[in-house]
Amino acid sequence: MENVIALAVLAVLVGGAVAYLIRAKRSGVKCVGCPAGGSCSGGKGKKKKLSGPVIGKKTLSISGMHCAGCAQSVTDSLNGIDGVSARVDLDKGRAVVSMDRRIEDAVLIRAVEKEGFRVESVRA
């Protein structure tokens, strides 16, 4: 009897998930479950210009980005830091950050995590 109940609960959960995915895709959602709510702009923002010469670059490996909206939110957050210009590559799951001053890794990590993603590593 317990197996039948467990099987029924599992069937209801799976059925609900499948129905949700079908409804989301039919309504035009590109990325189900992403922080952008599936309404990715897909557009690219302007490249931020630094006020001084580039004195360093860092590469952040980022997990959890699923769509262009995810990448854009990370780009915007990193570019919001004074002295930082970032390019985010969704396919490679990384951000290349150019800096015109010394920026601590913790500042960059906080900017990414604020958007709901995880920094796996930071390389100079």
Side-chain angles (χ1 to χ4, degrees):
M1 184 65 172
E2 293 169 356
N3 290 341
V4 172
I5 293 172
L7 209 54
V9 168
L10 184 60
V12 168
L13 290 174
V14 170
V18 169
Y20 170 78
L21 290 172
I22 290 170
R23 278 193 309 274
K25 288 297 181 181
R26 283 185 181 161
S27 67
V29 171
K30 296 175 190 152
C31 181
V32 177
C34 77
S39 58
C40 307
S41 64
K44 298 193 177 200
K46 293 189 324 185
K47 185 173 179 183
K48 180 180 172 187
K49 293 190 182 206
L50 298 174
S51 57
V54 173
I55 65 162
K57 286 190 177 190
K58 293 184 181 181
T59 302
L60 287 67
S61 294
I62 303 168
S63 64
M65 296 187 300
H66 301 291
C67 64
C70 297
Q72 189 62 51
S73 67
V74 171
T75 301
D76 293 343
S77 186
L78 287 169
N79 283 342
I81 301 169
D82 285 338
V84 168
S85 176
R87 276 188 1 261
V88 176
D89 186 325
L90 175 64
D91 295 329
K92 293 181 180 178
R94 70 180 182 197
V96 177
V97 177
S98 300
M99 301 166 291
D100 67 3
R101 62 193 78 170
R102 190 174 187 299
I103 306 289
E104 296 293 326
D105 291 353
V107 172
L108 301 173
I109 292 169
R110 243 188 333 270
V112 173
E113 290 179 346
K114 177 180 79 169
E115 298 302 321
F117 305 102
R118 181 184 156 125
V119 176
E120 302 292 335
S121 67
V122 179
R123 294 186 322 263

